Amino acid sequence: GCYSTSAGSFKDKDTTNQQVVIATFHVGNVTHAQHNNLVCTLRSARLHHQKCRLVVLTDMQTDFTAITQEVGNVKVKRHAFKQTGKVWAMYNRVKAERLFLLEELRRRGSSHVVFVDS
């Protein structure tokens, strides 16, 4: 799913030249298929919003070196989750997205943040 911090419908706004933040969440080993999906998602975001900031929200262990090298200019925001494993994945995702959104709003006041499924 996608969520936006801007007022009104995200589709109704022309954000091509505005600062847009595209963030995704992933924890655990990155399989070949997941690697391809993440690269495709991040490149697609950059294609439609050349000036966008790309962010991957994750835990302290997941390795995104190959993805950041392939896509370029991707910020990896790490979290030290207390609970880990598949049962906690959705909880950790919402927690990471919430913290990231609050941080963005505090720093920038208002911005377009879009969370995409990975």
Side-chain angles (χ1 to χ4, degrees):
C2 291
Y3 314 96
S4 172
T5 61
S6 59
S9 171
F10 192 72
K11 292 179 186 176
D12 296 339
K13 299 192 183 289
D14 179 13
T15 57
T16 308
N17 295 314
Q18 294 181 17
Q19 180 68 25
V20 175
V21 181
I22 308 292
T24 191
F25 176 87
H26 184 86
V27 293
N29 294 333
V30 181
T31 66
H32 181 71
Q34 290 168 331
H35 171 93
N36 290 341
N37 186 41
L38 284 163
V39 167
C40 181
T41 299
L42 297 171
R43 282 185 173 167
S44 177
R46 183 145 305 134
L47 241 150
H48 293 285
H49 302 282
Q50 291 87 18
K51 297 178 183 180
C52 74
R53 286 189 306 124
L54 300 175
V55 180
V56 175
L57 307 172
T58 190
D59 59 11
M60 301 302 282
Q61 293 81 31
T62 304
D63 183 14
F64 285 98
T65 306
I67 291 170
T68 56
Q69 288 175 347
E70 195 169 335
V71 176
N73 201 20
V74 176
K75 179 178 181 169
V76 177
K77 181 98 171 121
R78 298 194 177 276
H79 296 273
F81 299 117
K82 291 180 184 176
Q83 298 90 3
T84 58
K86 287 185 179 184
V87 230
W88 291 98
M90 289 307 292
Y91 173 80
N92 289 335
R93 175 184 173 166
V94 171
K95 186 176 178 181
E97 288 176 346
R98 181 181 176 277
L99 290 171
F100 180 75
L101 187 57
L102 291 172
E103 183 181 294
E104 283 294 305
L105 290 172
R106 259 187 243 119
R107 263 203 273 146
R108 289 168 177 55
S110 175
S111 62
H112 299 282
V113 176
V114 179
F115 294 111
V116 294
D117 288 336
S118 59

